[in-house]
Amino acid sequence: MKLTLARLSMALSLLIPVYFAAAALGVKFGLWPWQTGLGVLIVQWGPRLLLAALALGLVALVVAFVGRPRQGWQMALVGLLIPALGMGYLVNMRGRSADIPPIHDIATNIVDPPMFSARILAARQAQAANPVESLAAPITSLAAYQGARFASMGGKTLGQVGQEGYPAVRTLTLTAAPAEVMAAAKAQAEAEGWSDVTPQPGAGMIEATAETFWFGFKDDVVIRVRPAAAGGGSLVVVRSTSRVGLSDLGANAARIEKYLAGLSARTGKS
C-alpha cells in the first residue's frame, strides 16, 4: 500500500512537466488554439492538477512514515516537491503579472512611433491578431480596454501606459552614420533569431517577427533608423507588438532592451 501510493504520487508529479510542455507545444504546432493551450489547459486546469498532485504527495509522504516498515518516502518526497515548485512558480508569475501593465504594444518613441508595413498588417489580419492601435489613443477608448478594470488608466494614452511601465525602454542614440547602423541593425535582428528580417533601406526601416519557443507566439518588430537632429549620428526607434493576448507579461519591453543593448555593442559606439 505504501509503495503503491508513493509510486502513484511520483508518477503523477513526473507527468506534470510533460502536461505543461504539451499544452504549450500544442499551440505552437497548431494542435489547438492558444486560448485552449494557455487559457484552459494551463491557467484553468494547471493549478488544479498541481494541487491534486501536491495533496497526493503529502498523503503518500505521511503514510510512508506511519508504522513500519517506512517505505517509499523518497518517491513520495519527489511527488510532493515537483508540484510544490510548480505552485511556487505560478504564484511568483501571478505576483509579477500584477505589477505589469496589461498591454502588448511597446515603442521607444511614443510620440512618433514607426508603423508596420501593409505586408505585416495583412499577416496580422489574416491571423485575426490584435489590431495595431495608435499609441496616442486614450487607452480606455480602445475596444480591448473597456470595463472597470481599466478605469484608473482613463487619463493616459496607450503609449504613456507603456512608457510608465517600462521607463528604461528609450530611443537609442548612436554616433555611427545611418547606413552603418542600418547594416548593424539588420545583423542584430538576425542574431536575435528573428524570422523574416526585411530591410527597407529607402525608408530607413527593418521589419522582423519574433517567435516564442514554447507557445510559438509571434510578435512583430519594426526598427527605424534616422539621422540624429544635430551633430551627426543616428537615432534608433524600435516598436514590438504582440499578435495575440492582452498582456505580453513584459516580453516586448525585454525584447527591445536586449536588442538595443546588442546593437549598441555591435556598433561599438553610443
Side-chain angles (χ1 to χ4, degrees):
M1 171 64 178
K2 289 185 178 183
L3 287 178
T4 300
L5 191 60
R7 287 170 181 153
L8 180 61
S9 170
M10 187 173 71
L12 177 60
S13 293
L14 291 175
L15 285 174
I16 286 175
V18 177
Y19 171 85
F20 281 97
L25 292 176
V27 176
K28 183 172 185 174
F29 294 110
L31 300 180
W32 42 73
W34 71 270
Q35 294 92 336
T36 300
L38 179 60
V40 177
L41 296 179
I42 291 182
V43 174
Q44 289 186 23
W45 286 101
R48 298 174 185 178
L49 175 62
L50 289 170
L51 285 173
L54 194 64
L56 181 60
L58 183 59
V59 171
L61 189 62
V62 171
V63 170
F65 280 103
V66 173
R68 294 186 180 276
R70 293 176 177 171
Q71 294 179 313
W73 67 267
Q74 299 96 331
M75 290 184 288
L77 185 60
V78 172
L80 181 65
L81 287 178
I82 292 177
L85 289 172
M87 285 298 296
Y89 177 77
L90 287 183
V91 169
N92 178 61
M93 286 297 296
R94 181 164 294 183
R96 286 175 53 197
S97 66
D99 298 325
I100 293 174
I103 55 177
H104 50 264
D105 190 351
I106 304 295
T108 62
N109 184 335
I110 65 171
V111 176
D112 182 23
M115 187 58 180
F116 295 101
S117 68
R119 176 182 64 86
I120 291 291
L121 294 176
R124 294 176 67 92
Q125 187 174 15
Q127 190 182 335
N130 293 323
V132 180
E133 307 282 9
S134 167
L135 297 185
I139 193 165
T140 52
S141 71
L142 305 176
Y145 297 96
Q146 302 302 307
R149 175 187 175 190
F150 308 106
S152 62
M153 303 178 183
K156 300 174 184 176
T157 66
L158 179 59
Q160 285 172 333
V161 172
Q163 194 172 67
E164 291 176 7
Y166 307 103
V169 176
R170 288 290 183 268
T171 297
L172 178 66
T173 301
L174 297 170
T175 57
E180 179 184 345
V181 173
M182 275 289 291
K186 177 178 180 294
Q188 184 61 34
E190 292 170 340
E192 295 290 337
W194 300 345
S195 63
D196 200 19
V197 179
T198 307
Q200 302 171 34
M205 309 270 276
I206 299 171
E207 289 182 319
T209 299
E211 182 175 326
T212 63
F213 175 78
W214 285 109
F215 290 91
F217 290 146
K218 292 184 177 181
D219 300 339
D220 295 306
V221 184
V222 57
I223 304 149
R224 184 179 69 207
V225 179
R226 285 181 176 173
S234 305
L235 298 176
V236 183
V237 175
V238 183
R239 182 176 189 176
S240 184
T241 310
S242 301
R243 293 193 183 184
V244 299
L246 182 64
S247 174
D248 62 10
L249 297 179
N252 286 299
R255 177 180 299 113
I256 292 173
E257 289 188 64
K258 182 174 180 291
Y259 173 79
L260 290 179
L263 178 58
S264 182
R266 184 178 291 272
T267 60
K269 309 166 186 177
S270 62

